[in-house]
Amino acid sequence: MRTPFISANWKMNKTVDETVLFMKEFIPLVKDTKGVDIVIAPPFTALQTAFSLLKDTNISLSAQNVFYEEKGAYTGEISPSMLTEIGCSYVIIGHSERRQYFNETDEIVNKKIKIAQKYGLAIIMCIGESLAEREAGKTMDILKKQLINGLKHISAENIIIAYEPIWAIGTGKTATTEQAQEAHNFIRGELRSLYGKTAEEIRILYGGSVTPDNIKALMSCQDVDGALVGGASLKADNFAKIVNFKK
Ligand code: 13P
């Protein structure tokens, strides 16, 4: 049984003050929610404040990125021990925005996963195709390449995959349940080749224009085990509705 997993990815949104306001509204809305892993990924500057508010709640904390070295002369970067020290349990790695704007390659994603795992962080690894790649019929090739290269010499421990078709991110164009299930089923198959039976335990999240209106249908797909939510996670009541999709 894979426990449903719903994570907010705030991207470059919310100051510390805005984080406090959100948490005060959000925590009571989900305090009785059971059987769902709830995670929020604020920007780096709000992580410590967020952790102080989330302590003793049913909500865990994620970072949106990490660097692949342990320490040293890497101006502007954040190491895995800096994240664990302030209460992060998860880290998002390989988001398409990082691949697109910051030239993150599969090799860099692989190095980041390796060090995050070493420090005991659970990893939300993002993969997904562009519109041009989908239209050219290359979706499964891209997903396979990102999985195989990103997970090279990586064990299945603490790995969560987020399938985020780039054309669905921030566009209001959600993948249909058929498109999501097809991709997730393919990903599960690739994970089986890599990890055997353990693949049945790995959660595969869908991301891309998830809202309170479409979460139920997406979660009804056999291989959709959760969601990574951008825009709709910025308002506490909206995100609570997504987390409480069973109600
Ligand atoms: P939206 O939910 O805003 O489409 O963003 C999805 C995403 O990129 C989550 O990581």
Side-chain angles (χ1 to χ4, degrees):
M1 256 306 276
R2 299 182 292 264
T3 305
F5 185 104
I6 308 279
S7 178
N9 173 13
W10 284 354
K11 310 189 179 184
M12 198 175 73
N13 293 291
K14 292 199 192 291
T15 61
V16 171
D17 282 352
E18 289 164 347
T19 300
V20 173
L21 288 176
F22 179 98
M23 295 303 182
K24 290 207 163 138
E25 190 184 344
F26 182 69
I27 292 168
L29 294 175
V30 301
K31 72 172 183 351
D32 298 323
T33 303
K34 300 216 163 51
V36 180
D37 288 344
I38 311 169
V39 176
I40 299 182
F44 285 131
T45 48
L47 284 174
Q48 193 153 24
T49 303
F51 185 65
S52 67
L53 296 163
L54 296 181
K55 232 185 275 171
D56 306 320
T57 71
N58 54 345
I59 305 158
S60 302
L61 192 63
S62 176
Q64 298 175 16
N65 186 24
V66 67
F67 194 53
Y68 53 71
E69 295 289 347
E70 306 194 25
K71 61 171 154 179
Y74 303 102
T75 302
E77 293 297 330
I78 301 287
S79 75
S81 64
M82 293 172 186
L83 296 180
T84 53
E85 182 191 33
I86 58 167
C88 283
S89 330
Y90 295 86
V91 60
I92 298 172
I93 294 180
H95 193 281
S96 61
E97 287 151 16
R98 296 215 54 88
R99 293 177 189 259
Q100 191 180 343
Y101 304 130
F102 304 99
N103 303 318
E104 274 192 19
T105 60
D106 289 337
E107 289 64 38
I108 293 174
V109 168
N110 179 257
K111 288 201 304 193
K112 290 185 170 189
I113 294 175
K114 212 168 272 175
I115 198 145
Q117 220 175 30
K118 178 174 170 189
Y119 279 82
L121 286 157
I123 292 127
I124 303 172
M125 176 201 185
C126 301
I127 59 173
E129 81 288 0
S130 67
L131 185 59
E133 288 160 347
R134 175 161 283 266
E135 286 177 348
K138 291 189 188 147
T139 298
M140 304 308 162
D141 292 344
I142 296 291
L143 298 181
K144 182 172 183 162
K145 177 181 114 0
Q146 290 178 335
L147 280 171
I148 289 180
N149 294 336
L151 294 172
K152 202 182 247 173
H153 307 307
I154 302 282
S155 76
E157 189 190 359
N158 282 336
I159 297 287
I160 295 162
I161 306 293
Y163 168 59
E164 300 205 311
I166 297 169
W167 48 271
I169 296 178
T171 58
K173 272 192 217 151
T174 322
T176 63
T177 48
E178 290 75 20
Q179 286 170 326
Q181 174 55 25
E182 186 191 25
H184 283 230
N185 179 48
F186 176 82
I187 293 165
R188 180 97 48 217
E190 290 303 311
L191 293 173
R192 264 184 216 117
S193 316
L194 288 171
Y195 301 122
K197 273 195 191 146
T198 310
E200 310 308 325
E201 290 158 32
I202 299 178
R203 272 131 359 140
I204 307 174
L205 320 180
Y206 168 80
S209 299
V210 172
T211 66
D213 294 331
N214 58 31
I215 183 69
K216 221 177 183 138
L218 288 163
M219 290 302 289
S220 72
C221 300
Q222 193 186 337
D223 288 291
V224 175
D225 307 313
L228 186 55
V229 187
S233 74
L234 295 172
K235 287 219 172 95
D237 56 345
N238 256 354
F239 187 52
K241 279 185 200 150
I242 294 175
V243 167
N244 291 326
F245 70 94
K246 284 186 198 163
K247 290 186 182 163

